[in-house]
Amino acid sequence: MLKPLGDRVILQAQEEEETTVGGIVLASNAQEKPQTAKVVAVGDGRVLDNGEKVAPSVKEGDTVLFDKYSGTEVKYEDASYLVVHEKDLVAIVD
């Protein structure tokens, strides 16, 4: 599995099939990018200027809300992931 560095978090987007009012199923590339995802890996945390390390506020298994166009998409072992900085996460979904 991928291991993120620093304050980065690896997310797996939750696939949602979207159907229009007329019953047409939209291809995944025609849909808007999902804004919720499951955390699959978390880095060690951010290092402050004074050398202190701040632990991440999310953990593996959390479902999070993230900024729409943030992160870098990565393919690994036939799966797609999104690598984002922790600051790009908006909230944890309960």
Side-chain angles (χ1 to χ4, degrees), residues 27-45:
S28 60
N29 59 354
Q31 299 175 15
E32 285 195 23
K33 196 172 183 180
Q35 291 182 289
T36 59
K38 181 179 176 184
V39 176
V40 293
V42 180
D44 295 332

Side-chain angles (χ1 to χ4, degrees), residues 4-11 33 35 37 39 41-47 54-58 64-74 81-92:
L5 301 175
D7 69 335
R8 289 180 177 83
V9 178
I10 297 179
L11 306 174
K33 196 172 183 180
Q35 291 182 289
V39 176
V42 180
D44 295 332
R46 183 170 51 104
V47 178
V54 178
S57 54
V58 296
V64 295
L65 198 63
F66 60 93
D67 287 335
K68 194 172 207 169
Y69 297 106
S70 61
T72 303
E73 289 187 32
V74 176
Y81 299 99
L82 186 66
V83 181
V84 299
H85 286 276
E86 186 182 19
K87 68 182 179 188
D88 295 329
L89 301 178
V90 177
I92 298 174

Side-chain angles (χ1 to χ4, degrees), residues 14 18 21 36 50 57 60 63 70-71 73 75:
Q14 297 175 342
E18 187 175 330
V21 176
T36 59
N50 64 5
S57 54
E60 291 180 22
T63 300
S70 61
E73 289 187 32
K75 289 203 182 259

